[in-house]
Amino acid sequence: GMFGGRAWFPIGQRPDGSIHYNRQDAIDAIELLEQSAIAWSKGNLRDGERFVIGGFSQGAMVSHALLLRGKLAVDGVLGLSARDMTSDLGVTEVPEAAESTPVFISHGVADPIIPIESARSLKAFYEKTPVSLEYHEYPMAHEVNAQCLSDAKRWVDQRFS
């Protein structure tokens, strides 16, 4: 787990506060979640229903990974304070099936756990693709402040209400 908490895959913290993880552990967990989400969506989504995935920190990392692997059909990705995993995944572009997917990214400029440069790197990656990207930076650390929550809610409401 992460610092004694729950996690999608084992993650640790370096003395400087930054995180580290084993790439293969992450991919194994993402593949297992992907298989589960595909099975769930096939058995539970009715015609016309939307499937939006998202999360904070590691949950956001996994959400971006699921989109970028291209096997799970999603209608949107909401990623709050994610680390850029594109190089770990060997991804250089968005899969064709995901090209029109709306993506929301937010990050705190004072985040000591996942530095803002990681969000900016993910932003630069998506800007070279056809996805519909909305990107925000906030005066916060590794957290979700009121403005971020308000922007995320507006993003969801505008696209999926």
Side-chain angles (χ1 to χ4, degrees):
M2 184 171 169
F3 324 133
R6 302 232 182 254
W8 290 104
F9 51 88
I11 198 162
Q13 190 172 22
R14 295 183 183 98
D16 69 0
S18 64
I19 62 168
H20 64 89
Y21 57 88
N22 177 285
R23 179 184 172 278
Q24 192 57 54
D25 286 346
I27 290 173
D28 290 347
I30 290 162
E31 287 175 350
L32 182 61
L33 178 59
E34 184 176 68
Q35 292 165 8
S36 298
I38 289 169
W40 180 89
S41 65
K42 286 181 179 174
N44 291 282
L45 287 180
R46 295 189 287 286
D47 287 344
E49 287 187 322
R50 302 288 188 85
F51 189 29
V52 180
I53 59 175
F56 170 74
S57 193
Q58 195 180 43
M61 293 163 60
V62 170
S63 298
H64 287 292
L66 291 172
L67 173 71
L68 296 173
R69 287 171 53 85
K71 296 177 183 173
L72 175 65
V74 298
D75 296 299
V77 172
L78 184 76
L80 314 177
S81 300
R83 178 173 167 170
D84 181 358
M85 292 184 72
T86 52
S87 62
D88 289 340
L89 297 169
V91 174
T92 57
E93 59 189 24
V94 172
E96 187 176 335
E99 286 182 348
S100 63
T101 305
V103 174
F104 180 96
I105 295 175
S106 70
H107 212 97
V109 295
D111 189 334
I113 307 294
I114 302 174
I116 189 65
E117 289 76 26
S118 192
R120 291 172 181 161
S121 172
L122 196 53
K123 175 184 183 244
F125 170 83
Y126 280 123
E127 285 178 337
K128 295 181 210 160
T129 74
V131 303
S132 171
L133 176 66
E134 184 168 327
Y135 178 86
H136 296 273
E137 294 182 3
Y138 303 96
M140 63 183 186
H142 195 64
E143 61 189 297
V144 178
N145 68 14
Q147 186 61 54
C148 175
L149 190 59
S150 174
D151 289 341
K153 182 184 181 315
R154 176 195 41 76
W155 181 85
V156 170
D157 288 346
Q158 286 177 346
R159 284 156 187 81
F160 307 108
S161 291

